Each structure stands twice: as structure tokens, then as C-alpha cells.
């Protein structure tokens, strides 16, 4: 089994000393988050007076987050503004961690929901893990004539297809987020948590990753993870959403298959000025990974 690990040039990473960690009560006053979820997501700090979240990482998950960000920006989909930093902890900053720092994505005067608690707005939404599907989510939004529904539908589908392309496994019901304006318009919030992608598992790129994409939220079959399958050599979930929304999915697939990603991938080749890098074999793997996804996209377009 071939795997690739991430190289780090520590000296090329910005150092942040003595960030101010927020208490649980301070966090709950500053952001909208379920107290139970906060137990997992409690690394909130003030950095230069900016409310920010830090997650310690020093492996290929850094690459997964940053490369996803690069690809999503092509489609004007914003992700959290992640920066790779050296995070000084403690009074004398002798304890230091490498990871991702991002400013709070929530905006003032908006309400925030995720797929797991959207039932607070729309009671017919599923409430338990293992029951969520993208098709049900889109059906609920459309049947309720949610303000801005067409735009939101396009946003959700675009993100879903991009998640397939990146083989994203992190997009679960807790981190597909929505923001609701005072006027009631629902929009997709800034995207977070994209690190388990491109064959990255346990912090390493594993070239023997499962080629069948098993998303945390399937398109139509809630039990897909119990019996994952493809369709004529193509992704089962993307085929389903393509059949239901061809006018949205086809242009996305065309753009993905027509884009040259070489420059984007080569940013992570080993160079003295890079903060993080892969060995040449890892870069070659990423190139093949993208090419295989593009070939599958072409195949989907011909079905």
C-alpha cells in the first residue's frame, strides 16, 4: 500500500504568539453553535482582536483543506479563509502547534443552521443521522418556496458536485451550513471542513483509496453507505443528481473537465519557499487523481 506524507517547512509558516482563548460562555455569546457541538469545536481565540478558530494539523489534511479552497474558488464558492500558522500557546509560547487558523465565518444579523437542525425551520426535514439526503433537502426547500430557493438549489448542487470531484468525505450534516437573513432569505454559508479528500485518510494520502465516493450525505439513497455502488462505471450519486438537475450539473461537469489543474497542483511541489509540500510521487498521484475524475466527468456527460 503506497502512501504519501506531507512535508513542512516550518520556517516558512507565520507564527502567532499568545492568542487569547475564549471560554465556553464567551464563545456562546459570540457565535451560534449548539452547546453539544461546541464540545468538539471549542478552539476559539482572539487573534489581533479577530474572533478565529484554530485546528491543529501537521499532516496531509492541511493539503486537503487548501487544495479544496483553490478548486472551490474557481466556482466562486467561498471557504473559510484558512491560513497555515504556527500557533504559540502558553504564557511564554514554548508550546507551539501547526495548524489552520480561520476567522469566524458567521455574519452579524443572520441566523445559522445546518442540515441536522434545519428541521427547526422546516419540520418535515429529517432529524437523525442516517436519514439525510440531498434530494430530500432540495425537495423541502422547493416545497416551502424558500426565498432565494433557485439560487440556493444551484449553490447546494454545485458544492455537491465539487465534493465528488475532490472526493470530499467531510461534508456531513453538521458542517453543511446555511445562513438566514432578517428578511427570511436562506443562503449557503461559507464552507468549512474539507480536509478528508483526495484520498487523504489518517493524515496520509493513500493511493488505494476507495474509488467509489461514499458521501456523508447521499443524494437519494439514505442507505447508500451500506451498499455503495457505481452506475456504468460512474458515480451513483452524481448520476442521480445529473438526471434530476441536468441544467445545473452539466455546466459544472463541463467546466471541471475543461479546466487545467496543473498549476494548482504544482503549487504543492517541494520548493524552498513552500510552507507545505508533497514528494514528486504525491504530486503525480494528485495529477492522476484529477485526470481520473475528469475522465469520469466526461463519461457522465455522454450518458
Amino acid at each position: 500500500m503506497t502512501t504519501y506524507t506531507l512535508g513542512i517547512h516550518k520556517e516558512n509558516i507565520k507564527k502567532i504568539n499568545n492568542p487569547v482563548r475564549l471560554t465556553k460562555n464567551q464563545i456562546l455569546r459570540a457565535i451560534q453553535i449548539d452547546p453539544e457541538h461546541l464540545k468538539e469545536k471549542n478552539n476559539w481565540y482572539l487573534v489581533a482582536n479577530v474572533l478565529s478558530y484554530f485546528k491543529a494539523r501537521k499532516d496531509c489534511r492541511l493539503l486537503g483543506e487548501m487544495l479544496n479552497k483553490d478548486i472551490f474558488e474557481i466556482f466562486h464558492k467561498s471557504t473559510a479563509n484558512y491560513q497555515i500558522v504556527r500557533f504559540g500557546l502558553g504564557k511564554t509560547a514554548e508550546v507551539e502547534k501547526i495548524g489552520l487558523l480561520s476567522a469566524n465565518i458567521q455574519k452579524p444579523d443572520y441566523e445559522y443552521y445546518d442540515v441536522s437542525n434545519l428541521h427547526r425551520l422546516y419540520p418535515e426535514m429529517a432529524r437523525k443521522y442516517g436519514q439525510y439526503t440531498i434530494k430530500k433537502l432540495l425537495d423541502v426547500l422547493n416545497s416551502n418556496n424558500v426565498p432565494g430557493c433557485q439560487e440556493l438549489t444551484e449553490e447546494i448542487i454545485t458544492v455537491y458536485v465539487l465534493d465528488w470531484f475532490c472526493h470530499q468525505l467531510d461534508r456531513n450534516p453538521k458542517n453543511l451550513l446555511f445562513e438566514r437573513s432578517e428578511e427570511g432569505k436562506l443562503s449557503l454559508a461559507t464552507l468549512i471542513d474539507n480536509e478528508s479528500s483526495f484520498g487523504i485518510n489518517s493524515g496520509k494520502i493513500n493511493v488505494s483509496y476507495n474509488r467509489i465516493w461514499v458521501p456523508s450525505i447521499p443524494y437519494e439513497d439514505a442507505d447508500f453507505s451500506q451498499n455503495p455502488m457505481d452506475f456504468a462505471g460512474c458515480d451513483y450519486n452524481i448520476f442521480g443528481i445529473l438526471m434530476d438537475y441536468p441544467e445545473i450539473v452539466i455546466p459544472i461537469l463541463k467546466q471541471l473537465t475543461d479546466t487545467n489543474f496543473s498549476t494548482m497542483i504544482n503549487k504543492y511541489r517541494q520548493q524552498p519557499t513552500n510552507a507545505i509540500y508533497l514528494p514528486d510521487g504525491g504530486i503525480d498521484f494528485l495529477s492522476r487523481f484529477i485526470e481520473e475524475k475528469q475522465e469520469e466527468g466526461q463519461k457522465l456527460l455522454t450518458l
Side-chain angles (χ1 to χ4, degrees):
M1 180 178 69
T2 302
T3 61
Y4 294 102
T5 57
L6 193 72
I8 296 176
H9 285 141
K10 185 177 177 181
E11 65 277 10
N12 295 334
I13 299 175
K14 179 181 179 180
K15 186 175 182 180
I16 295 175
N17 288 319
N18 298 322
V20 179
R21 184 161 189 164
L22 273 65
T23 66
K24 177 182 176 181
N25 287 338
Q26 288 172 328
I27 296 168
L28 289 173
R29 285 197 297 269
I31 64 168
Q32 298 174 48
I33 185 171
D34 289 335
E36 283 299 309
H37 196 203
L38 180 58
K39 292 178 181 179
E40 302 173 24
K41 306 287 185 180
N42 63 350
N43 294 318
W44 291 90
Y45 296 83
L46 277 181
V47 177
N49 285 324
V50 176
L51 178 60
S52 303
Y53 186 77
F54 175 74
K55 48 185 181 181
R57 300 285 186 269
K58 56 179 181 179
D59 52 41
C60 281
R61 291 175 295 176
L62 292 171
L63 172 77
E65 203 73 72
M66 302 305 288
L67 187 50
N68 266 277
K69 184 175 187 292
D70 293 340
I71 291 174
F72 274 68
E73 283 178 352
I74 295 174
F75 290 82
H76 309 290
K77 300 302 173 196
S78 62
T79 66
N81 187 25
Y82 291 112
Q83 300 178 56
I84 302 173
V85 298
R86 293 156 58 198
F87 215 57
L89 300 171
K91 290 184 178 179
T92 59
E94 68 276 1
V95 180
E96 182 179 273
K97 293 185 177 181
I98 291 173
L100 293 164
L101 183 69
S102 58
N104 175 31
I105 64 165
Q106 293 187 1
K107 304 172 187 173
D109 303 322
Y110 279 78
E111 295 176 350
Y112 284 84
Y113 300 87
D114 57 47
V115 172
S116 74
N117 62 25
L118 205 57
H119 61 81
R120 296 174 185 171
L121 292 177
Y122 311 110
E124 64 270 42
M125 275 291 295
R127 300 179 181 223
K128 295 181 180 179
Y129 273 75
Q131 296 179 348
Y132 304 106
T133 67
I134 293 295
K135 185 176 178 65
K136 176 64 174 178
L137 168 62
L138 295 174
D139 287 347
V140 167
L141 296 175
N142 279 279
S143 65
N144 281 276
N145 294 314
V146 175
C149 184
Q150 180 56 36
E151 180 182 350
L152 180 57
T153 296
E154 292 177 6
E155 288 182 330
I156 292 169
I157 292 173
T158 299
V159 169
Y160 199 70
V161 177
L162 293 180
D163 280 347
W164 156 76
F165 188 75
C166 299
H167 217 75
Q168 160 74 263
L169 303 178
D170 274 340
R171 192 82 60 215
N172 62 60
K174 282 288 187 184
N175 64 24
L176 184 57
L177 307 176
F178 302 89
E179 53 189 27
R180 186 170 183 258
S181 70
E182 292 179 329
E183 296 74 35
K185 182 180 179 182
L186 200 67
S187 302
L188 208 59
T190 297
L191 301 165
I192 59 171
D193 291 343
N194 307 293
E195 57 195 38
S196 295
S197 47
F198 306 106
I200 296 169
N201 185 25
S202 300
K204 298 179 180 180
I205 289 179
N206 182 354
V207 303
S208 301
Y209 71 97
N210 185 359
R211 260 60 175 181
I212 296 179
W213 182 50
V214 185
S216 295
I217 312 176
Y219 176 60
E220 186 171 13
D221 180 6
D223 297 320
F224 180 76
S225 64
Q226 305 303 313
N227 184 30
M229 66 185 81
D230 60 18
F231 180 85
C234 293
D235 186 270
Y236 182 86
N237 288 284
I238 299 304
F239 174 75
I241 206 168
L242 171 62
M243 292 299 99
D244 288 347
Y245 297 92
E247 72 285 357
I248 300 175
V249 176
I250 287 174
I252 303 169
L253 289 176
K254 284 183 176 178
Q255 186 169 352
L256 285 169
T257 56
D258 289 343
T259 299
N260 186 335
F261 291 93
S262 297
T263 301
M264 196 174 290
I265 293 170
N266 282 321
K267 282 170 51 179
Y268 301 101
R269 195 177 291 277
Q270 184 170 4
Q271 298 177 47
T273 56
N274 278 2
I276 61 173
Y277 61 90
L278 284 177
D280 287 347
I283 295 296
D284 293 341
F285 166 78
L286 284 179
S287 297
R288 290 194 303 272
F289 181 103
I290 295 293
E291 288 170 3
E292 288 174 5
K293 286 289 187 177
Q294 289 179 314
E295 290 168 2
E296 189 175 343
Q298 290 280 14
K299 198 171 184 179
L300 281 161
L301 290 170
T302 63
L303 292 177

